[in-house]
Amino acid sequence: MDEVAQDYISIEDEENIRLALKYFNYTMLFIADEPENQQTRNFTLKQYVDFVKKKAAISNDDILDEKQVSVFGFDAVQLTYKNHLDWNSRIDTLIVFKSDSRFHTIRNSSYTETYKSSLENFEQLMETMKFNEKQ
């Protein structure tokens, strides 16, 4: 994984990342899945999202928007928040959903000035994606 991308891992554990891309204007895309473990085994989606917020130190003041969405036929939470992992302000959009025994995260991270165009690109990308459960 690219060292610059590693600097922006806040939600995902490196071993669970399936895709990490850095593209135009340092926009980054992270796709990860985490198998249920001792700690998360009985978590609901809401409990896992709260766990992720705590893990990444996302405060209520950082959250710009949080809403229920549907992704690949699964109930999901979309969270948009300020990410303070860089000297310059970043805005992240995180989608979290749960399949049979895994929690999945898809995160788009971009600088504040490119956030709106980046979000449009992210939404278009999401429309082209397919989900295949890892066996």
Side-chain angles (χ1 to χ4, degrees):
M1 180 183 314
D2 181 285
E3 285 182 30
V4 174
Q6 280 182 321
D7 292 342
Y8 294 94
I9 297 171
S10 60
I11 289 171
E12 310 83 3
D13 291 324
E14 189 172 338
E15 67 271 9
N16 296 327
I17 292 180
R18 301 297 166 239
L19 179 68
L21 293 173
K22 178 178 65 177
Y23 54 103
F24 183 70
N25 282 338
Y26 292 91
T27 296
M28 289 181 239
L29 175 70
F30 297 93
I31 298 176
D33 65 3
E34 180 178 343
E36 290 179 330
N37 58 42
Q38 197 79 358
Q39 185 176 16
T40 63
R41 179 163 289 125
N42 295 315
F43 275 14
T44 64
L45 180 60
K46 181 184 179 344
Q47 288 170 320
Y48 187 76
V49 170
D50 290 341
F51 170 75
V52 164
K53 288 178 190 175
K54 185 176 180 181
K55 180 178 178 181
I58 302 168
S59 73
N60 286 336
D61 291 339
D62 293 332
I63 297 172
L64 304 173
D65 187 35
E66 184 172 353
K67 60 186 174 185
Q68 295 291 127
V69 295
S70 179
V71 175
F72 311 122
F74 294 95
D75 290 336
V77 172
Q78 181 174 316
L79 182 65
T80 303
Y81 61 95
K82 298 174 195 169
N83 181 331
H84 301 287
L85 286 180
D86 197 356
W87 62 271
N88 200 350
S89 186
R90 297 182 72 81
I91 304 289
D92 286 7
T93 299
L94 173 71
I95 296 174
V96 181
F97 65 98
K98 181 181 181 182
S99 65
D100 290 335
S101 62
R102 302 179 97 70
F103 288 98
H104 305 274
T105 59
I106 304 170
R107 182 166 59 99
N108 184 73
S109 180
S110 62
Y111 286 119
T112 303
E113 16 338 304
T114 58
Y115 161 68
K116 289 188 180 180
S117 62
S118 174
L119 184 58
E120 288 175 15
N121 291 336
F122 178 61
E123 289 170 351
Q124 290 171 353
L125 179 63
M126 287 294 298
E127 290 175 11
T128 67
M129 293 173 79
K130 289 184 184 179
F131 176 74
N132 292 315
E133 180 74 45
K134 184 176 180 179
Q135 300 299 323

